[in-house]
């Protein structure tokens, strides 16, 4: 309630695939999302698609996904996204926004989805998440999130690359 008294009306919650000690897994996310809903806060779900932090320097695949083919990796992104969002929906929680990847200025799920190596693969992984979000929560806005908001050339490179490869998003 403290943050609400200071004018905060939304919360961003991250979710990892299979983290150590359960921190930021889908069950932990559900506990936090219930709290946010109870407080009447708007909700953003941030998928890291990793077992720990995904950021500009590391976009490590979850251990369970490390040997998947690219086709299987896309299916894993879709399945994980679907599972988490269906859990929230089944509990009456409707996120307003869903972030497909975290700080994805060079893609996600490296090496397969490293944008500087294969932008088409990154776009396909992004779209697997986007399509899964829309299948469960068609009114949620899907966010492509990247670092360095001041870096116009990074944004042009990434979003032109996504667009040229059929990438989908609602919010930057």
């Amino acid at each position: 309630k403290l943050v609400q008294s200071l004018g905060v009306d939304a919360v961003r919650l991250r979710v990892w695939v299979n983290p150590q000690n359960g921190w930021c897994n889908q069950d932990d996310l559900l506990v936090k999302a219930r709290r946010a809903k109870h407080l009447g806060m708007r909700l953003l779900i941030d998928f890291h698609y990793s077992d720990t932090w995904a950021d500009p320097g590391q976009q490590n695949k979850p251990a369970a996904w490390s040997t998947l083919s690219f086709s299987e990796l896309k299916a894993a992104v879709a399945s994980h996204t679907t599972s988490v969002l269906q859990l929230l929906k089944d509990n009456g929680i409707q996120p307003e926004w869903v972030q497909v990847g975290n700080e994805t200025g060079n893609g996600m799920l490296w090496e397969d989805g490293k944008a500087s190596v294969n932008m088409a693969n990154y776009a396909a992984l992004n779209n697997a998440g986007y399509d899964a979000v829309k299948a469960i929560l068609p009114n949620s806005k899907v966010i492509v999130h990247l670092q360095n908001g001041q870096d116009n050339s990074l944004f042009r490179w990434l979003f032109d690359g996504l667009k040229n490869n059929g990438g989908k998003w609602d919010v930057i």
Side-chain angles (χ1 to χ4, degrees):
K1 291 191 179 212
L2 173 63
V3 293
Q4 283 182 305
S5 72
L6 298 171
V8 175
D9 70 347
V11 63
R12 176 177 177 233
L13 300 175
R14 71 179 156 263
V15 61
W16 296 332
V17 176
N18 189 24
Q20 288 187 334
N21 304 320
W23 183 251
C24 296
N25 69 9
Q26 70 179 19
D27 294 331
D28 182 55
L29 173 73
L30 178 59
V31 169
K32 294 170 185 169
R34 281 181 173 150
R35 288 180 191 159
K37 180 182 179 190
H38 176 74
L39 293 171
M41 299 186 85
R42 300 160 70 201
L43 183 61
L44 183 157
I45 302 300
D46 172 7
F47 281 90
H48 281 242
Y49 300 115
S50 183
D51 292 334
T52 187
W53 297 100
D55 60 43
Q58 60 182 7
Q59 293 285 335
N60 300 321
K61 292 177 191 171
W65 301 1
S66 65
T67 61
L68 298 180
S69 70
F70 186 69
S71 178
E72 292 168 329
L73 191 59
K74 288 188 301 183
V77 167
S79 176
H80 175 65
T81 304
T82 298
S83 174
V84 169
L85 296 180
Q86 189 65 56
L87 176 67
L88 294 176
K89 185 176 180 179
D90 290 347
N91 282 274
I93 300 167
Q94 300 280 326
E96 189 167 337
W97 311 276
V98 178
Q99 185 178 306
V100 175
N102 189 67
E103 295 185 322
T104 59
N106 194 12
M108 61 186 181
L109 295 159
W110 292 348
E111 286 294 306
D112 294 75
K114 195 169 196 175
S116 60
V117 174
N118 192 324
M119 184 67 77
N121 276 5
Y122 169 51
L125 292 168
N126 175 79
N127 289 356
Y130 180 97
D131 292 342
V133 172
K134 294 301 184 172
I136 302 298
L137 301 167
N139 295 323
S140 292
K141 300 290 184 198
V142 178
I143 298 172
V144 171
H145 175 254
L146 63 157
Q147 71 283 1
N148 297 340
Q150 79 288 352
D151 188 345
N152 186 55
S153 63
L154 171 63
F155 275 63
R156 292 304 316 209
W157 172 77
L158 188 80
F159 288 101
D160 288 348
L162 280 172
K163 182 180 177 184
N164 291 336
N165 286 280
K168 302 179 218 177
W169 68 90
D170 301 318
V171 177
I172 298 170

